[in-house]
Amino acid sequence: MYQDKLNAYFDDPARREQLVEAISRLVRVRSVREDPRPGMPFGPGPAAALAEALTLAGELGFSVKNYDNYVGAVDLNDRETALHILCHLDVVGEGTGWTVTAPYEPVEVDGMLYGRGTDDDKGPAVAALLAMQAVRDLGVPLKKNVRLLLGTDEESGSGDIAYYYSREPYAPYTFSPDGEFPVINLEKGSYKPVFTKTWQAETATPRVKELHGGFRINVVPPEASCVIAGLSADAARPYCDQAAAQTGAEYVLTEEGDDLRILCKGKGAHASTPSEGNNAITALLHLLRALPLAKVGSTAALHSLNALFPHGDWEGKALGVAQADELSGPLTLAFSLLEVTPAGLSGQFDSRVPVCANEENCKGAAEASFAKFGFAAEGEMGAPHHTP
């Protein structure tokens, strides 16, 4: 009986306009996690996004509660809660390469709304809120309450929702509109170790003095750069041209006195879908493997990384962890963070592991591969979750 009423309710052009504007209000807030401030556990951006979302819910006539800027709650009615809808308002850093619009300036083009967070997860949060509004406006009889939970730290560890559930009970039923339609009943596990290596002070040239790649563990790095002592742009350019043809990345050369800075430009993507990006870290390592660098500790370490993470290997084959099962598909791996200093390096990758993965065939295999090249690796596995 209510399906026809709901369809007619949302066929009203005013509802579409309301949806677009409400999402846009939230997208305009840069809600990337930063250092905590008093009363802002994840920085000012997530707190501001939560304030805006609760203001929006209040304007629609809902009862709201702010849990110390960790989580906001929106209640459909005052009855016992039977359902939680889990959404989040924080976003991954915007990165580079935006073309249709700036990341926090939402715009609709050909029926698609562009802007950081429109899909993950501000758009779904607003959709859930307006669904609650529709149920209320149409007088659909409910015996229980629905509570919409608006988190602010899902992209960085979910400390927000842990804070909430340390104070409030779980609901009998929960779902999260933060994935593919219509339902996801399996979440891959994770393995994100930190690996390190050190070496003695070096003076020989040409050598890599520093390298910086990536900005977020769960983002395929769109850029990476290094500084090489004792190498000219003219000497490096033929190698760059060849590497560009092989990797599809762009290499920008800038001479800085006796040093050469190389900026590698790839393409960003979510770490769960590394094949959709072009990893700037591995593309830069591909180039460094070919350059005529001095045979010193830093060079050997970078060559080892290229062997362990060859460009285009997003299944962990070279690392010895590639595996798949019919239920959850293949392991995916994104080499997302790397820092090289004159004395050593530290890196981290983001891998999403299938149900068949375990300590032996994943963590143990990776640690053994690192050990062959003299790297130390530390990190635990997160278990996959599957509901039949």
Side-chain angles (χ1 to χ4, degrees), residues 287-299:
L287 168 65
L288 295 177
R289 180 64 182 84
L291 288 176
L293 300 177
K295 295 182 179 181
V296 292
S298 59
T299 301

Side-chain angles (χ1 to χ4, degrees), residues 274-286:
S275 62
E276 296 181 4
N278 191 358
N279 193 310
I281 289 178
T282 58
L284 184 55
L285 291 173
H286 182 93

Side-chain angles (χ1 to χ4, degrees), residues 18-189:
Q18 180 189 21
L19 176 70
V20 171
E21 176 51 32
I23 297 172
S24 298
R25 283 174 59 173
L26 299 184
V27 171
R28 294 186 186 105
V29 181
R30 184 181 185 274
S31 51
V32 178
R33 177 172 177 166
E34 298 180 72
D35 292 335
R37 296 185 185 180
M40 302 176 183
F42 309 115
L50 181 56
E52 184 68 13
L54 293 180
T55 297
L56 174 61
E59 291 171 357
L60 296 178
F62 289 108
S63 174
V64 303
K65 183 175 181 178
N66 187 334
Y67 287 83
D68 302 322
N69 275 333
Y70 283 83
V71 171
V74 182
D75 288 312
L76 180 57
N77 56 47
D78 59 1
R79 302 188 179 195
E80 180 185 2
T81 299
L83 173 67
H84 283 164
I85 304 175
L86 304 186
C87 296
H88 67 92
L89 303 172
D90 58 308
V91 297
V92 175
E94 59 274 11
T96 60
W98 288 75
T99 55
V100 175
T101 186
Y104 305 108
E105 298 176 9
V107 62
E108 184 181 349
V109 179
D110 296 330
M112 181 75 74
L113 188 62
Y114 292 85
R116 182 55 110 209
T118 53
D119 181 63
D120 181 14
D121 189 39
K122 294 176 178 179
V126 170
L129 180 64
L130 298 192
M132 291 168 64
Q133 179 191 26
V135 168
R136 184 198 61 194
D137 290 354
L138 293 175
V140 178
L142 298 179
K143 298 179 181 179
K144 303 286 187 178
N145 178 45
V146 173
R147 171 169 277 197
L148 172 63
L149 297 178
L150 301 168
T152 58
D153 186 44
E154 191 271 349
E155 300 290 0
S156 302
S158 297
D160 52 349
I161 207 68
Y163 183 88
Y164 174 83
Y165 281 121
S166 70
R167 288 155 177 78
E168 298 285 2
Y170 291 96
Y173 302 95
T174 304
F175 77 95
S176 177
D178 187 10
E180 297 177 5
F181 182 87
V183 67
I184 291 175
N185 66 322
L186 184 149
E187 183 82 6
K188 285 183 174 179

